[in-house]
């Protein structure tokens, strides 16, 4: 095996030394380029594919997970300031399961698993503190499960029970929320978090809960029991919904009639949010009903012989008049008045300007067309003159200079991108062609044209023996004929070439 390698090496060295400097440089560059390419491919193929194990970790959680990875002898990388941990892609899911079995990441602190360990010698104070820690951790985990919340911290103040009610201190809580980017909590969500915590802690009232975000903004202000403010927010929401409903309704009709982008609609709704309860009592004197009747008898004293004594009878009748009682509760949010403003663009025609260039000329709409459009708007909103509804439809020329400039900029950018793509592809193609041309030139420099010998060129008289001559012998005969031809044509050049060969051969022997 060694002898074969040595023979191959000597043959390669002999062939390489026969080349001139240009060919030696080309062969060496090609060899080194191929070697570097193979090394690069090997390095890329052997490079580990790291993937995210956990992200958005706090420093404490990240440190605990890193220690666990070091113990398991698993390579890792830290990114995003140490809050993101990457491990080889093949081990991501296995490590997540292994870390989850150990309660990592903690997701808001320790929970009820703190009681999994048997602390026989723990005092009542330690048990109480552990219970508070567990309760805070479980609440933080629950709050962190919300889509908008990235991380939560809960702090509880659980006062000791007092013998006297007046001396009992209230239970309080404070919650810090770190929200995900571009997310915010609505008032209903903040109220839900407060009710969740208050229902989980004995004696905790929602008004004793303070909620802030990571920027120090107090979110629990939304929980203040202010009926007027709550009603105002509800009114604004209802009013906006009514205005949006009528705006979309009119906008769709106008754009169908005059074209998209040629009409702008704004609606203002005045709603009645007064809660009115009315009671009506109606009496009908024509219909009476006997309710009660009373008869009283009274004896009077007198001369019995003369017959002046007697009995007095009194009748008392009570009648009930027919009465109707009606309670009416007026609905909240009735429409008092609607005000609609509609701006309609005119039409345009293209004419030639003074310099011969085409320009757009504005053509206003006719009065009859505007009257029809006003009628369409009235029908769409259910116009009521008794409510004093106001409809105003005007025809104005829209300022489209900004839109036209943007369209021109987009067109220019598109054209620039198109030609840039064409030029880039042309350069790629030209580079490929140049590379192929150079490669063909290099190949041709090494290739010696070998053609079969013709019958006239054979040194033998019989052409039948041409097929019996070996190819190597034909090559040598052809080379000899070429050297003889060049010597006859250019004897001076042949002498110089022979002299140069002799010098090179002498130098090689001296070496």
């Amino acid at each position: 095996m060694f002898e074969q390698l040595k023979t191959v090496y000597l043959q390669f060295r002999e062939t390489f030394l026969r080349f001139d400097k240009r060919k030696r440089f080309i062969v060496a560059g090609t060899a080194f380029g191929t070697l570097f390419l193979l090394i690069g491919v090997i390095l890329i193929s052997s490079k580990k594919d790291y993937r995210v194990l956990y992200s958005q970790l706090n420093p404490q959680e990240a440190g605990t997970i890193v220690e666990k990875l070091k113990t398991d002898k698993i390579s890792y990388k830290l990114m995003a300031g140490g809050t993101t941990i990457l491990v080889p892609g093949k081990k991501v899911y296995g490590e997540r399961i292994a870390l989850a079995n150990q309660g990592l990441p903690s997701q808001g602190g320790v929970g009820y698993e703190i009681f999994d360990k048997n602390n026989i010698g723990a005092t009542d104070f330690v048990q109480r503190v552990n219970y508070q820690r567990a309760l805070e951790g479980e609440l933080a985990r629950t709050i962190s499960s919300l889509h908008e919340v990235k991380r939560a911290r809960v702090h509880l103040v659980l006062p000791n029970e007092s013998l006297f009610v007046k001396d009992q201190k209230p239970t309080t809580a404070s919650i810090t929320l770190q929200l995900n980017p571009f997310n915010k909590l609505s008032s209903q969500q903040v109220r839900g978090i407060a009710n969740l915590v208050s229902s989980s802690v004995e004696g905790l009232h929602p008004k004793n809960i303070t909620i802030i975000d990571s920027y120090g903004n107090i979110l629990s202000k939304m929980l203040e029991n202010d009926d007027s403010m709550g009603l105002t927010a509800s009114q604004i929401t209802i009013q906006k919904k009514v205005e949006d409903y009528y705006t979309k309704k009119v906008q769709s009709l106008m754009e169908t009639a005059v074209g998209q982008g040629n009409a702008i609609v704004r609606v203002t709704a005045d709603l009645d949010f007064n809660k009115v309860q009315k009671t009506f009592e109606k009496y009908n004197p024509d219909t009476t009903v006997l309710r009660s009747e009373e008869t009283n008898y009274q004896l009077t004293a007198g001369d019995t012989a003369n017959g002046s004594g007697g009995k007095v009878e009194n009748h008392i009748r009570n009648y009930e008049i027919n009465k109707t009682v009606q309670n009416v509760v007026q609905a909240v949010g009735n429409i008092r008045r609607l005000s609609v403003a509609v701006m309609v663009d005119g039409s345009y025609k293209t004419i030639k300007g003074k310099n011969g260039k085409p320009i757009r000329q504005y053509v206003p709409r006719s009065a009859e067309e505007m009257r029809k459009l006003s009628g369409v708007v009235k029908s769409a909103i259910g116009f009521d003159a008794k409510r004093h509804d106001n409809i105003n439809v005007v025809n104005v020329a829209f300022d489209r200079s900004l839109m036209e400039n943007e369209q021109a900029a987009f067109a220019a950018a598109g054209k620039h991108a198109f030609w840039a793509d064409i030029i880039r592809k042309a350069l790629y193609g030209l580079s490929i062609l140049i590379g192929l041309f150079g490669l063909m030139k290099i190949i041709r420099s090494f290739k010696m044209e070998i053609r079969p010998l013709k019958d006239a060129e054979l040194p033998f008289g019989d052409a039948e023996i041409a097929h019996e001559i070996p190819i190597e012998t034909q090559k040598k005969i052809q080379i000899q004929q070429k050297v003889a031809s060049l010597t006859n044509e250019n004897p001076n050049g042949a002498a110089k070439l022979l002299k140069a060969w002799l010098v090179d051969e002498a130098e090689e022997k001296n070496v």
Side-chain angles (χ1 to χ4, degrees):
M1 183 67 182
F2 180 75
E3 294 296 333
Q4 294 178 354
L5 294 176
K6 185 177 181 181
T7 303
V8 172
Y9 168 73
L10 293 175
Q11 291 178 354
F12 174 77
R13 183 174 180 275
E14 182 180 357
T15 304
F16 183 76
L17 292 176
R18 290 178 182 176
F19 296 154
D20 55 10
K21 292 183 180 180
R22 183 176 65 84
K23 291 182 179 180
R24 291 179 183 179
F25 177 78
I26 293 174
V27 172
T30 304
F32 282 109
T34 305
L35 179 62
F36 289 143
L37 180 61
L38 291 175
I39 293 174
V41 171
I42 294 173
L43 291 177
I44 293 175
S45 60
S46 62
K47 185 179 180 181
K48 293 183 179 180
D49 179 22
Y50 282 87
R51 296 185 181 180
V52 176
L53 178 65
Y54 289 111
S55 61
Q56 299 179 351
L57 298 171
N58 57 46
Q60 183 179 1
E61 292 176 342
T64 306
I65 294 174
V66 167
E67 290 297 327
K68 180 65 173 57
L69 294 176
K70 289 181 179 179
T71 304
D72 296 342
K73 297 181 180 180
I74 296 176
S75 59
Y76 64 89
K77 289 183 179 181
L78 297 178
M79 295 183 64
T83 60
T84 301
I85 301 177
L86 289 81
V87 297
K90 296 181 180 180
K91 299 183 179 180
V92 170
Y93 300 108
E95 283 303 310
R96 285 180 182 175
I97 295 174
L99 293 172
N101 289 333
Q102 299 185 8
L104 296 174
S106 59
Q107 298 180 352
V110 67
Y112 286 124
E113 65 272 8
I114 193 174
F115 295 108
D116 294 341
K117 299 179 181 178
N118 294 325
N119 296 325
I120 300 176
T123 62
D124 292 341
F125 175 77
V126 173
Q127 292 289 352
R128 182 179 177 83
V129 172
N130 289 338
Y131 169 74
Q132 182 173 341
R133 290 177 59 196
L135 185 58
E136 292 174 349
E138 293 294 336
L139 289 173
R141 292 176 181 177
T142 304
I143 297 173
S144 299
S145 64
L146 296 178
H147 175 72
E148 292 80 4
V149 180
K150 177 181 177 181
R151 189 175 291 108
R153 290 291 302 274
V154 179
H155 301 280
L156 301 176
V157 177
L158 306 177
N160 296 323
E161 295 183 0
S162 176
L163 297 176
F164 302 98
V165 176
K166 65 178 181 179
D167 295 335
Q168 181 65 45
K169 295 181 180 180
T171 303
T172 59
S174 59
I175 304 172
T176 303
L177 302 178
Q178 183 179 357
L179 304 180
N180 288 315
F182 310 106
N183 283 270
K184 65 178 181 179
L185 296 176
S186 63
S187 58
Q188 290 83 357
Q189 290 174 311
V190 175
R191 190 178 300 276
I193 293 174
N195 291 333
L196 170 68
V197 176
S198 64
S199 300
S200 303
V201 181
E202 183 180 0
L204 180 59
H205 194 273
K207 69 179 181 180
N208 293 329
I209 299 176
T210 301
I211 304 175
I212 65 173
D213 60 12
S214 55
Y215 297 99
N217 300 318
I218 301 177
L219 304 179
S220 54
K221 286 184 177 180
M222 304 178 185
L223 305 177
E224 295 179 358
N225 189 14
D226 191 346
D227 295 337
S228 60
M229 293 299 294
L231 184 60
T232 301
S234 177
Q235 290 176 3
I236 294 174
T237 302
I238 296 174
Q239 182 177 357
K240 188 177 184 302
K241 289 182 178 179
V242 173
E243 292 176 350
D244 292 343
Y245 169 75
Y246 282 106
T247 299
K248 293 179 180 177
K249 193 174 182 181
V250 178
Q251 186 78 37
S252 61
L253 287 175
M254 297 302 295
E255 289 186 348
T256 303
V258 300
Q260 188 174 6
N262 292 327
I264 300 175
V265 180
R266 296 292 182 268
V267 177
T268 301
D270 183 11
L271 305 182
D272 185 7
F273 292 101
N274 295 325
K275 186 176 182 180
V276 180
Q277 182 175 358
K278 298 179 181 179
T279 303
F280 298 94
E281 293 186 2
K282 184 178 181 181
Y283 297 92
N284 188 359
D286 297 332
T287 58
T288 58
V289 179
L290 180 62
R291 181 179 181 184
S292 63
E293 183 178 4
E294 182 180 355
T295 303
N296 296 323
Y297 296 97
Q298 185 179 4
L299 298 176
T300 59
D303 190 357
T304 307
N306 296 331
S308 57
K311 180 176 68 174
V312 179
E313 183 178 350
N314 295 323
H315 295 278
I316 300 174
R317 291 182 175 88
N318 294 323
Y319 292 90
E320 187 72 28
I321 301 176
N322 188 16
K323 180 177 68 172
T324 303
V325 179
Q326 184 179 8
N327 291 325
V328 179
V329 179
Q330 184 177 347
V332 178
N334 289 330
I335 298 177
R336 288 179 179 173
R337 187 186 183 208
L338 287 176
S339 299
V340 183
V342 181
M343 296 175 60
V344 182
D345 195 8
S347 58
Y348 294 85
K349 65 179 181 179
T350 303
I351 62 174
K352 291 186 178 181
K354 295 180 180 180
N355 53 1
K357 294 183 179 180
I359 60 174
R360 298 180 66 194
Q361 184 180 17
Y362 174 76
V363 179
R365 299 184 184 272
S366 63
E368 179 64 19
E369 187 178 3
M370 296 302 299
R371 185 185 64 80
K372 291 180 180 180
L373 293 176
S374 298
V376 170
V377 175
K378 289 182 179 181
S379 300
I381 67 169
F383 180 81
D384 189 357
K386 295 180 180 180
R387 294 187 313 204
H388 303 287
D389 292 347
N390 183 26
I391 308 296
N392 190 12
V393 182
V394 296
N395 180 207
V396 295
F398 288 4
D399 183 8
R400 301 181 181 272
S401 58
L402 178 60
M403 182 177 66
E404 292 175 355
N405 293 336
E406 290 181 350
Q407 289 178 351
F410 282 131
K415 187 181 295 184
H416 176 74
F418 172 77
W419 286 111
D421 185 60
I422 294 295
I423 295 174
R424 183 170 60 255
K425 291 180 178 179
L427 290 176
Y428 288 159
L430 184 60
S431 301
I432 294 173
L433 291 177
I434 293 175
L436 292 175
F437 179 77
L439 182 62
M440 293 297 295
K441 193 171 182 180
I442 294 172
I443 294 175
R444 288 178 180 177
S445 64
F446 287 102
K447 182 178 179 182
M448 180 180 294
E449 182 179 359
I450 303 298
R451 58 181 177 84
L453 294 175
K454 297 181 181 179
D455 297 342
E457 296 175 346
L458 291 173
F460 309 97
D462 192 358
E464 294 180 358
I465 64 173
H467 300 287
E468 299 179 1
I469 301 176
I471 299 297
E472 296 296 332
T473 304
Q474 293 185 21
K475 290 182 181 179
K476 292 180 179 180
I477 293 173
Q478 184 178 359
I479 294 173
Q480 292 174 1
Q481 291 177 353
K482 284 188 175 182
V483 171
S485 176
L486 291 174
T487 304
N488 294 329
E489 292 177 358
N490 189 3
N492 295 330
K496 292 180 181 180
L497 179 61
L498 182 60
K499 184 177 179 180
W501 285 350
L502 294 175
V503 172
D504 292 339
E505 184 177 1
E507 290 179 354
E508 290 179 1
K509 291 181 178 180
N510 293 332
V511 174

